[in-house]
Amino acid sequence: MPSLIAPIFNTTTTKPLHIELPKSFHLVSGAEKPYNVASRYLRNVMDESRYLFDRKVDLTSIFLLAEYPAETHELKYSDERTWIEEIENKLNLASTGGICSIPYIITAKFPVYGITYLKRSLDGDKYLFDEEAQKIFLALMEEGITLPSLALRRYSLSLEKKSLEDQLLDLWISLESLFAPDGKKGEITYKLRFRMAYYYGDTPEKREKIAQFVKSSYNHRSEIVHSGKEHGDSLADEVKLLRQMARAVILNTAMEKISLNELRRRLDEQVLTGSSYELRYQPKFFENVSF
């Protein structure tokens, strides 16, 4: 029977798992067969030593698997590429504990194996797929969940960038698309400061702190765009916080199943009433960020 095997690089699990996904796909870990296939065929293609390969893929890693009908004569990875990218994006959205990637697909119809290169593997801390990450991932895979496409795309692109300046730019594009796509020149910073302050802050003191952070970070964004200024490692904590902020609102709007227009309408209403978003709307799922 033809099959597809895609090791999810840089992942680890604390115990074996088997999760059924749509389109006859599965996520598994702790299974020897997919690991042995990946170990045998990918190591030569990657031209890496066993030590380097096993830093990225081992028996505790997650593997994406699919089985195809026996009458299938040709496996077209291009038909599945968008779907595989969606799984990778949702895995990375499900946790801030590390970064994972799916750079290779192995298609197999014994005794013939084929390998397709999709992208370079992403660098970062080891991705732990624990119970909390699994819970969020499964919720994101439920029917009817819609993610804001531009915000998610730029969030995901930020994970691929090596320089902190590039990461910051991607994350601000994500946040602008969420909070102030309707802002005209001169209004954007104002709308970002107030809407973000009332989204993440539940006290006047926290809102003031958030507003100041937004102003400062957006100034860094402008310096990078307009003058090419390099900030280097000084941006590390700032980029980490921006990533948490973007992730939180992408997750929250998806789980609450509200449009971005509705989100912005609520935030503008809050500016007038001075209430807390979480207290006023009491969503069943609401991830916030510590400042």
Side-chain angles (χ1 to χ4, degrees):
M1 180 177 289
S3 60
L4 180 149
I5 302 171
I8 304 178
F9 279 38
N10 205 39
T11 58
T12 188
T13 54
T14 56
K15 57 184 178 181
L17 63 84
H18 186 164
I19 299 173
E20 293 188 12
L21 300 176
K23 302 185 179 182
S24 300
F25 275 72
H26 307 263
L27 289 181
V28 303
S29 73
E32 291 191 8
K33 183 177 179 179
Y35 169 72
N36 290 337
V37 171
S39 178
R40 178 179 178 184
Y41 292 97
L42 278 184
R43 183 174 287 108
N44 293 332
V45 170
M46 294 170 64
D47 192 26
E48 295 185 87
S49 70
R50 182 177 184 85
Y51 172 71
L52 289 175
F53 177 83
D54 286 343
R55 284 175 57 190
K56 300 178 180 179
V57 182
D58 60 33
L59 274 173
T60 70
S61 298
I62 308 172
F63 288 79
L64 180 64
L65 307 179
E67 298 290 341
Y68 294 86
E71 61 270 16
T72 302
H73 298 292
E74 183 180 4
L75 295 178
K76 297 181 179 180
Y77 81 91
S78 57
D79 296 342
E80 310 290 4
R81 185 165 188 164
T82 300
W83 171 238
I84 291 171
E85 185 177 281
E86 178 181 337
I87 292 171
E88 178 189 296
N89 287 341
K90 289 182 176 179
L91 281 170
N92 277 319
L93 196 61
S95 174
T96 56
I99 301 173
C100 67
S101 59
I102 306 177
Y104 296 93
I105 296 173
I106 303 171
T107 49
K109 190 174 183 181
F110 187 81
V112 178
Y113 289 85
I115 296 174
T116 301
Y117 173 75
L118 299 180
K119 57 187 285 187
R120 73 172 181 85
S121 58
L122 303 184
D123 299 321
D125 295 335
K126 181 73 80 172
Y127 180 98
L128 174 61
F129 193 61
D130 56 14
E131 290 184 3
E132 181 63 22
Q134 182 174 328
K135 179 181 177 181
I136 294 175
F137 173 75
L138 292 176
L140 291 173
M141 296 300 297
E142 289 180 3
E143 188 175 351
I145 292 291
T146 302
L147 294 165
S149 57
L150 176 57
L152 176 60
R153 184 167 72 252
R154 284 296 179 166
Y155 177 88
S156 300
L157 283 173
S158 76
L159 301 175
E160 301 182 19
K161 303 297 175 61
K162 290 188 177 295
S163 84
L164 291 169
E165 287 84 1
D166 288 344
Q167 293 178 46
L168 183 142
L169 293 180
D170 277 324
L171 290 168
W172 266 119
I173 293 172
S174 178
L175 288 164
E176 283 184 48
S177 74
L178 293 165
F179 288 104
D182 52 347
K184 299 178 182 178
K185 188 175 182 179
E187 292 181 356
I188 294 178
T189 308
Y190 175 85
K191 287 189 173 182
L192 287 171
R193 286 175 65 197
F194 278 89
R195 287 174 175 174
M196 293 174 73
Y198 274 85
Y199 188 78
Y200 301 105
D202 55 6
T203 66
E205 293 77 18
K206 286 184 181 179
R207 290 173 193 146
E208 176 62 24
K209 188 174 182 179
I210 294 164
Q212 290 300 323
F213 170 79
V214 169
K215 181 180 179 180
S216 173
S217 184
Y218 202 78
N219 284 341
H220 290 160
R221 173 243 181 234
S222 298
E223 289 171 351
I224 295 167
V225 170
H226 298 300
S227 65
K229 184 175 180 179
E230 295 184 3
H231 294 263
D233 292 342
S234 66
L235 291 177
D237 290 340
E238 182 177 328
V239 166
K240 181 179 179 180
L241 184 52
L242 289 172
R243 180 166 289 121
Q244 291 173 345
M245 295 171 83
R247 174 181 178 266
V249 70
I250 292 170
L251 277 179
N252 293 342
T253 53
M255 299 296 196
E256 199 177 355
K257 297 182 180 179
I258 65 167
S259 69
L260 294 181
N261 284 335
E262 173 62 15
L263 171 69
R264 293 186 287 268
R265 186 198 67 77
R266 291 181 178 186
L267 291 172
D268 289 344
E269 183 180 79
Q270 281 180 254
V271 173
L272 297 176
T273 62
S275 61
S276 160
Y277 185 95
E278 186 174 8
L279 180 63
R280 182 177 179 84
Y281 296 104
Q282 299 184 1
K284 292 182 179 179
F285 180 98
F286 189 81
E287 179 164 316
N288 211 332
V289 179
S290 297
F291 287 86

